[in-house]
Amino acid sequence: MTVQNTDNTLSVSLGQIQLNNPILTASGTCGYCFELMDFFDLNHLGGFITKSITPEPRLGNPPQRTCETPAGLINAIGLANVGLDKFCEEKIPLLERMTIPVFVNVAGKTVNDYLIVAERISQIPHIAGLEINVSCPNVKEGGISFGTDPKSVYDLVCQIRKRCPDTYLIVKLTPNVTDICVPARAAIDAGANCLSLVNTFVGMAIDIHARRPVLANRTGGLSGPAIKPMAVYLVNKVYQQVARPSNIPLIGLGGISCADDVVEFMLAGASAVSVGTHMMINPACLETILTGLRNYMQQYQMNNIRDLTGALCE
């Protein structure tokens, strides 16, 4: 895959993966690829991360599956997806048209589920890497049940690494733990090339008139601006205690809606960021964010945005 970099000042790297700019899509918010092309050319981004793929098709949780909250969104989609076979047959040909790095988010109920998807997807030349989802809070099996147990994180990533020795592996971490640095270390020790954090915080909304949970799943994952200060803190904590000493890049996410948010995450230690919930409000926001980053760099006479990563003054 040949990627044309049109603005070197915005280019960043995730280890051996080169991105034209630090903006990626957040898994689960932008479908499989071209759902948002009417609003914005996704090839202008640094990279694209697909929604989660499981071995078999999943309908996800029953409705109601989303609920707006002050400065946020609670969702309990439940990893709805077309399944591995249909993804390879129908979606990969679309993804192969992309001129930016594409990462496939991988999920499952069991370790074997992850291995089935990871091994098959890793053999597709156009795919730049895998994002291993050990943090979805909206399924009864898999997802967060792996991410909250450091041993499970280590064992899962180890097995995927053995099956896919040359594949670029991003591990997506949950914030719903006592100390996020513990699973972060486990993922790195097992062979992760990059960490993505944070996924959603478990939340709940109640219909005070019906006196029952708004979501059919009872609980869901809270995203949006409400979680940004917590996400920035956790990115900085993992960067200082785990990622920087191990020379492992971080992808920060959680409530990003403008260029200032991107800069904040990068100063905290992120090499790149993923944007998700805000795209449901304004699908074209990514172009505005890129323009804002260029303006910030001009304001502070910066030669490359990479200089922001970890540049927080203590």
Side-chain angles (χ1 to χ4, degrees):
M1 176 181 61
T2 301
V3 178
Q4 298 297 324
N5 193 337
T6 57
D7 188 350
N8 290 328
T9 64
L10 289 182
S11 66
V12 298
S13 64
L14 298 175
Q16 70 263 37
I17 304 291
Q18 301 298 314
L19 306 181
N20 287 344
N21 58 69
I23 311 299
L24 301 99
T25 56
S27 172
T29 60
C30 301
Y32 302 101
C33 182
F34 283 87
E35 290 87 343
L36 294 176
M37 277 300 197
D38 288 342
F39 304 96
F40 178 76
D41 185 353
L42 295 173
N43 287 309
H44 292 173
L45 300 181
F48 181 85
I49 303 177
T50 73
K51 70 183 294 137
S52 296
I53 306 300
T54 55
E56 302 297 328
R58 289 180 61 100
L59 293 175
N61 294 322
Q64 185 171 341
R65 306 199 294 189
T66 62
C67 172
E68 286 191 59
T69 64
L73 175 75
I74 302 177
N75 91 85
I77 302 299
L79 301 180
N81 73 98
V82 298
L84 180 59
D85 287 340
K86 195 169 184 179
F87 175 75
C88 290
E89 293 168 8
E90 298 182 2
K91 309 304 180 182
I92 288 296
L94 297 176
L95 292 170
E96 288 176 341
R97 301 178 193 173
M98 302 288 283
T99 60
I100 59 175
V102 174
F103 304 90
V104 176
N105 187 281
V106 177
K109 294 181 180 179
T110 65
V111 170
N112 194 52
D113 282 352
Y114 282 89
L115 295 177
I116 290 171
V117 178
E119 194 165 20
R120 186 166 171 188
I121 297 297
S122 67
Q123 296 172 5
I124 300 173
H126 191 79
I127 301 303
L130 307 176
E131 183 180 58
I132 309 303
N133 187 351
V134 295
S135 51
C136 177
N138 306 317
V139 290
K140 293 181 173 61
E141 299 173 277
I144 199 171
S145 65
F146 285 103
T148 53
D149 179 4
K151 185 178 184 303
S152 294
V153 172
Y154 180 84
D155 291 343
L156 174 63
V157 178
C158 250
Q159 293 199 49
I160 295 174
R161 174 54 72 205
K162 288 178 182 177
R163 293 283 187 92
C164 310
D166 301 319
T167 301
Y168 190 86
L169 298 181
I170 305 167
V171 177
K172 190 171 188 178
L173 300 176
T174 175
N176 300 292
V177 291
T178 303
D179 183 357
I180 197 171
C181 289
V182 179
R185 287 192 188 95
I188 292 171
D189 290 344
N193 300 102
C194 178
L195 301 178
S196 176
L197 64 156
V198 296
N199 207 330
T200 56
F201 289 77
V202 176
M204 182 179 182
I206 295 174
D207 183 330
I208 63 171
H209 304 291
R211 300 187 180 185
R212 65 179 60 184
V214 173
L215 300 180
N217 193 60
R218 191 176 183 87
T219 62
L222 175 65
S223 61
I227 74 168
K228 195 195 78 175
M230 295 180 289
V232 170
Y233 161 69
L234 293 174
V235 166
N236 185 242
K237 181 177 182 180
V238 170
Y239 176 74
Q240 289 184 320
Q241 298 184 24
V242 183
R244 182 171 58 185
S246 302
N247 196 30
I248 294 292
L250 302 178
I251 299 172
L253 63 154
I256 295 170
S257 60
C258 63
D260 288 359
D261 295 338
V262 176
V263 173
E264 199 170 345
F265 270 95
M266 294 187 74
L267 288 172
S271 295
V273 301
S274 290
V275 181
T277 300
H278 193 68
M279 293 184 66
M280 300 179 187
I281 301 170
N282 177 17
C285 69
L286 299 176
E287 190 76 75
T288 303
I289 289 174
L290 288 173
T291 299
L293 290 178
R294 293 186 184 97
N295 291 339
Y296 179 88
M297 293 180 66
Q298 184 176 11
Q299 179 182 354
Y300 290 98
Q301 300 180 337
M302 296 179 60
N303 293 321
N304 198 291
I305 200 167
R306 285 175 290 186
D307 297 336
L308 286 176
T309 296
L312 182 66
C313 297
E314 301 294 343

